[in-house]
Amino acid sequence: MKVSFDIIAGKEAPLKLSQAILLYEGDRGVCFASAHGIDASGKQPLILEGRAFTSEAAVRLALELSNNAMRGGFVPPELLYLDGNAMAWWVPPARRHIAFRSEKLGAPERGEVVPHPGLVFRAEHGRRWSVWAVKGSERPHEGTPLYQAPYFNVYADGGICTGNVHLPDGTTAERIKAWNDAFFGSFFTHPNVQGKLVAYKGGTFKFWTDMLDGRHREFPEHVLVPSQRTLGQMLGLRDQA
Amino acid sequence: MMQALQLPALAGAIPCQLQPSSANASTALLARRLYEARIIPHDAPARAAHEPLQTAKKHLMRWIEQQVAGMQCLTLHVRLVMGKADEEFTGRPAGQGMVTALWSSACEPFTVGPALDSLEALLPGLGQTVLTAIDLTGPMLVPAFTAWDAMGVAQEYFWQGEPNEEVALDEMCGDDEAEREAMRDGMVTRKMVDEAFPSWSTTWPKRRKKVSLRALATVAGSARSTKARRVADLVLALRRLRLKDECRPQGDGWFIGFGPVLMWRDNDLTTRIFDDFCNDACQSETVDWCGEHRFDLLDESSVKTWMALMKPRFKGIRLLDNLIFELSAGDWRRIPKGFR
């Protein structure tokens, strides 16, 4: 039997003293910090032995206190945008492996290395994950037009149907590879767009059959369907057209 | 350097817990009402009850577990949202004692087609009666996403309110036959829905052919198949519940609080339609819980009233759970036919 029960009292719920951070100052300010557990079982709380409070732990604490609103660290060139829990990044056009589970492509399972267009992903921690295509091999900017990503399991609004895909934890820059791997490592099963996924004679299945058969040495960008939005609009930086 | 560090003691005035006084008062009030309703037993040791929130949680959990004992496949979540949290959740002013009690169920797929087909073969109308019980009783307990919902979503979202995709194709492709066929290839089409489900399953539940209560009782008593007898028994028990529609979720937005997603065959069209619907719905506000009841702890009878409302619902949730478990487990193609 799987039953859970909870009482949610919001911000009025009791907050328990759980840790103490001790700061040690010298002439040049704080030069050492240690984090300690608390033993609250006795009459008075007791600070237990601690361990060095590393700069990584300090950043994690700061993120937790500020609800993940602050980030820091090196910025990889593919990172386009970072805001609170949301992150957008670019994947340049390249040949990559793609795998399908769809009888309509000629076999129960089929995978090949094929050319892909440039892509823009957007992930929100614990929420939606989306993808669009972009033309060309230049790093996209705010005014770059977005196109419907030409893949199965992607909705018309860019949302990715995750199915059984295990989504990576976190939306920090160092997790970009994990998100890319999660997308390209999954099986694509069926179109999730009720309209046109690609502008290709013969339709979506014919397009991917031809791609898997190696009919296109480069990704045919003319098949991409405009989403009528720019990168800036998608990120909510400008009013939508 | 480390040798120079010594652990300082915390001053006695530093508290181990921060507890807003209003929270103390409302959780103490909840514990009092639970005590009056005998959910917290009168012989509970006072020392163990020094923290009212934890005490209330522990005893309510025990009461809920007793009510739904015997559940086999669904996952049930029950929540009480109190005070400030209730105000934020409902968007309505909440005094010290306002509580919204909610329940929801995890969304999980189950394959029930072979069972319903076999029941229909055993007695024409029996499979339809069972599915109708799920379609009509589920919304008051834990709503299931069934073939009927799949057809409704396809019509409303994919086919612009029409019975098939032709009007949507007219709009997108006009008369270009090649483009229509290419587009149709990637869509959920009427043909796909018709192939996935028997026509009676996508018909309005009240219009399906159903067997009488007497016939159900006969199946429950004398069908040769134990599974068929058990299913008929559970449907009869669900029909006896006589629930009123008074705990519907009150949130604004699309309802996506479905628990079981009932596929006809493994990995059929149902999950695709359900996923598409949820994705669309999540673009705006959604309601993802099954039922609710809001009450004010300042009213002395409030907790007893909530318990009285929930008792038959918990019983119904257990019956629905057992019914879905029975339909989705075992090999229904080999059940003994006929009656004893």
Side-chain angles (χ1 to χ4, degrees):
Chain A
M1 185 170 64
K2 295 170 280 183
V3 181
S4 72
F5 172 67
D6 201 7
I7 298 177
I8 300 166
K11 289 170 186 162
E12 297 178 348
L15 308 173
K16 285 184 179 161
L17 179 62
S18 64
Q19 287 194 65
I21 295 168
L22 305 183
L23 306 177
Y24 295 85
E25 285 187 16
D27 294 338
R28 292 185 301 179
V30 176
C31 61
F32 185 78
S34 53
H36 302 252
I38 300 283
D39 179 2
S41 60
K43 280 185 182 172
Q44 284 200 345
L46 187 67
I47 296 181
L48 302 173
E49 274 183 41
R51 58 173 68 176
F53 192 57
T54 60
S55 52
E56 288 81 8
V59 169
R60 275 202 303 276
L61 176 65
L63 286 173
E64 225 170 294
L65 287 173
S66 60
N67 194 23
N68 239 9
M70 291 157 50
R71 306 289 175 96
F74 289 103
V75 178
E78 64 270 32
L79 182 64
L80 299 171
Y81 183 80
L82 199 56
D83 174 21
N85 290 329
M87 174 173 73
W89 69 96
W90 173 54
V91 178
R95 294 180 70 82
R96 292 187 193 84
H97 189 265
I98 189 166
F100 292 87
R101 269 191 188 137
S102 174
E103 297 274 1
K104 287 186 177 178
L105 293 175
E109 279 185 14
R110 216 182 148 190
E112 300 289 345
V113 175
V114 303
H116 292 254
L119 300 171
V120 170
F121 285 90
R122 182 175 194 265
E124 275 179 83
H125 184 64
R127 295 185 64 195
R128 281 173 63 78
W129 179 29
S130 312
V131 63
W132 295 266
V134 287
K135 288 188 176 178
S137 53
E138 297 292 313
R139 185 177 187 272
H141 52 80
E142 205 181 324
T144 302
L146 300 180
Y147 296 81
Q148 165 81 47
Y151 304 105
F152 290 7
N153 305 89
V154 176
Y155 298 101
D157 64 357
I160 298 169
C161 175
T162 50
N164 296 326
V165 177
H166 179 71
L167 295 185
D169 290 326
T171 49
T172 50
E174 60 271 22
R175 303 296 290 156
I176 286 177
K177 184 178 180 304
W179 284 95
N180 290 345
D181 289 347
F183 183 77
F184 291 111
S186 62
F187 279 100
F188 293 86
T189 53
H190 55 76
N192 278 64
V193 172
Q194 285 297 307
K196 199 179 274 185
L197 183 64
V198 286
Y200 194 76
K201 196 174 178 187
T204 305
F205 287 98
K206 175 79 167 65
F207 170 72
W208 277 110
T209 305
D210 286 353
M211 290 294 286
L212 293 168
D213 289 346
R215 293 234 175 140
H216 299 281
R217 294 187 64 186
E218 293 194 350
F219 187 87
E221 290 186 336
H222 65 271
V223 308
L224 293 174
V225 176
S227 76
Q228 314 298 346
R229 299 171 88 191
T230 63
L231 175 59
Q233 286 165 344
M234 179 273 286
L235 293 169
L237 303 180
R238 285 182 191 167
D239 290 335
Q240 290 192 10
Chain B
M1 181 179 173
M2 291 304 289
Q3 287 171 347
L5 301 177
Q6 288 188 343
L7 286 177
L10 277 175
I14 294 177
C16 283
Q17 188 166 290
L18 301 177
Q19 176 106 20
S21 53
S22 59
N24 246 340
S26 54
T27 50
L29 190 55
L30 173 67
R32 181 175 155 191
R33 295 289 175 244
L34 294 176
Y35 180 81
E36 288 163 0
R38 293 185 177 270
I39 289 182
I40 297 178
H42 285 189
D43 56 357
R47 182 175 287 182
H50 70 284
E51 211 293 79
L53 186 67
Q54 294 310 322
T55 308
K57 217 179 208 176
K58 181 179 132 192
H59 289 285
L60 261 176
M61 179 69 192
R62 188 173 298 160
W63 180 74
I64 292 164
E65 281 176 343
Q66 283 167 358
Q67 303 306 308
V68 295
M71 270 177 64
Q72 303 194 72
C73 62
L74 299 182
T75 306
L76 180 69
H77 306 293
V78 183
R79 260 182 300 167
L80 295 191
V81 188
M82 297 184 60
K84 274 276 171 236
D86 177 69
E87 199 168 303
E88 283 164 21
F89 177 75
T90 60
R92 286 177 277 171
Q96 190 187 72
M98 285 313 291
V99 177
T100 301
L102 312 163
W103 75 92
S104 59
S105 175
C107 183
E108 292 159 293
F110 299 93
T111 303
V112 297
L116 294 173
D117 284 337
S118 294
L119 291 167
E120 195 63 13
L122 179 67
L123 179 66
L126 181 57
Q128 302 186 50
T129 307
V130 174
L131 184 60
T132 302
I134 295 171
D135 273 323
L136 297 184
T137 322
M140 288 179 279
L141 303 167
V142 170
F145 190 87
T146 66
W148 157 247
D149 296 296
M151 175 64 103
V153 166
Q155 290 184 348
E156 193 171 341
Y157 298 96
F158 303 156
W159 307 334
Q160 304 184 0
E162 299 292 327
N164 58 45
E165 69 278 12
E166 295 305 325
V167 169
L169 287 173
D170 287 347
E171 194 137 297
M172 290 186 285
C173 315
D175 292 333
D176 185 335
E177 268 313 310
E179 190 161 348
R180 287 177 79 94
E181 287 319 302
M183 185 79 77
R184 201 192 305 272
D185 231 14
M187 291 177 79
V188 171
T189 62
R190 177 63 192 243
K191 185 165 175 264
M192 287 162 79
V193 174
D194 287 344
E195 282 172 0
F197 311 110
S199 61
W200 54 262
S201 69
T202 54
T203 304
W204 186 37
K206 292 195 172 173
R207 258 201 216 139
R208 289 182 195 137
K209 176 185 175 185
K210 292 179 277 289
V211 300
S212 64
L213 280 176
R214 199 167 162 184
L216 259 183
T218 305
V219 175
S222 57
R224 286 184 59 223
S225 157
T226 319
K227 289 177 81 62
R229 289 203 302 272
R230 175 102 180 107
V231 163
D233 227 8
L234 287 163
V235 172
L236 281 169
L238 276 170
R239 296 269 294 260
R240 280 194 291 265
L241 280 176
R242 304 258 176 258
L243 295 174
K244 283 188 189 163
D245 188 14
E246 54 202 325
C247 292
R248 285 256 176 168
Q250 297 297 314
D252 294 326
W254 294 101
F255 178 79
I256 57 164
F258 296 96
V261 175
L262 302 188
M263 301 177 293
W264 212 264
R265 304 265 176 265
D266 290 346
N267 301 315
D268 69 11
L269 201 57
T270 323
T271 44
R272 174 177 173 184
I273 293 175
F274 180 72
D275 286 348
D276 284 1
F277 167 65
C278 286
N279 181 71
D280 263 5
C282 288
Q283 309 300 315
S284 54
E285 282 190 86
T286 54
V287 175
D288 61 359
W289 62 99
C290 305
E292 69 176 70
H293 175 64
R294 195 166 188 244
F295 53 91
D296 189 347
L297 291 167
L298 292 175
D299 172 4
E300 286 179 16
S301 62
S302 57
V303 165
K304 286 180 188 162
T305 307
W306 173 66
M307 287 168 66
L309 275 172
M310 288 312 294
K311 264 194 158 189
R313 282 168 179 78
F314 282 139
K315 182 182 176 187
I317 289 168
R318 177 175 52 78
L319 291 170
L320 189 67
D321 164 281
N322 289 182
L323 177 59
I324 289 168
F325 178 77
E326 206 62 62
L327 293 173
S328 59
D331 188 354
W332 275 89
R333 288 165 305 181
R334 292 166 195 267
I335 61 163
K337 306 282 186 295
F339 295 85
R340 293 183 293 198

